[in-house]
Amino acid sequence: MTNRPARTSTKPADGRPRLLSGGNPQIPKGDGDAPVQAYIAAMPDWKRDLGRLLDALIERTVPDVQKCVRWNSPFYGVEGQGWFVSYHVFTRYVKVTFFRGSSLQPLPPGVGKGKDQDSRWVDIHEGELDEAQMASWVRQAAALPGWDLT
């Protein structure tokens, strides 16, 4: 038998979710709106308002959107089609990833690496959200086959 270090909780003593490297909230895997809202509530500083804006924009653009949290990030999808977008907190920005982003017009600027050449993303810094462009990308992405997370 080996001695293993004690497992740390996902929550600090004050009950709030722990922030991982770069300030990304550590939220347990879960389906539905509640884990996504917990993630957004735990986003630090100006990123929390951006998370609220992104969530509302996605809901408005895709009225029957499905939500979940996987790998400490919120995912949005269409039932029967899969997951089309996710976002993740970094120190200076929030990265919004479109899983079939290579099919979007105009192309989001970030380019996938390795096995996932279809992904594209946009890094949103404080005050830089282009809501009209984001809504266009979300609308386009929701119409494409998405990722299966099972």
Side-chain angles (χ1 to χ4, degrees):
M1 179 187 268
T2 61
N3 289 332
R4 294 184 187 183
R7 189 168 188 180
T8 58
S9 169
T10 60
K11 293 186 178 183
D14 67 4
R16 296 190 54 173
R18 187 165 58 121
L19 296 181
L20 301 171
S21 175
N24 195 55
Q26 184 176 22
I27 300 293
K29 174 180 170 180
D31 295 314
D33 188 54
V36 171
Q37 295 310 315
Y39 178 94
I40 292 168
M43 292 171 77
D45 308 319
W46 61 268
K47 297 167 191 135
R48 183 177 311 114
D49 289 335
L50 177 59
R52 288 183 189 122
L53 281 170
L54 289 168
D55 186 66
L57 182 148
I58 294 166
E59 282 186 337
R60 200 171 46 247
T61 306
V62 186
D64 294 326
V65 72
Q66 304 291 304
K67 300 179 186 183
C68 75
V69 169
R70 299 290 190 277
W71 304 289
N72 299 308
S73 295
F75 283 72
Y76 296 81
V78 175
E79 189 165 345
Q81 282 185 225
W83 305 97
F84 62 88
V85 69
S86 180
Y87 50 91
H88 193 89
V89 171
F90 288 88
T91 302
R92 294 184 185 94
Y93 59 91
V94 174
K95 179 179 184 175
V96 179
T97 302
F98 296 95
F99 304 125
R100 302 287 184 239
S102 63
S103 298
L104 305 180
Q105 293 300 319
L107 285 174
V111 179
K113 295 182 180 167
K115 296 181 200 176
D116 188 13
Q117 291 299 315
D118 286 337
S119 288
R120 297 292 185 273
W121 61 83
V122 59
D123 296 339
I124 303 174
H125 295 83
E126 186 172 9
E128 290 185 352
L129 177 62
D130 180 339
E131 289 189 51
Q133 181 60 70
M134 185 61 65
S136 175
W137 282 330
V138 165
R139 190 175 304 103
Q140 293 174 62
L144 298 169
W147 276 10
D148 180 7
L149 297 180
T150 58

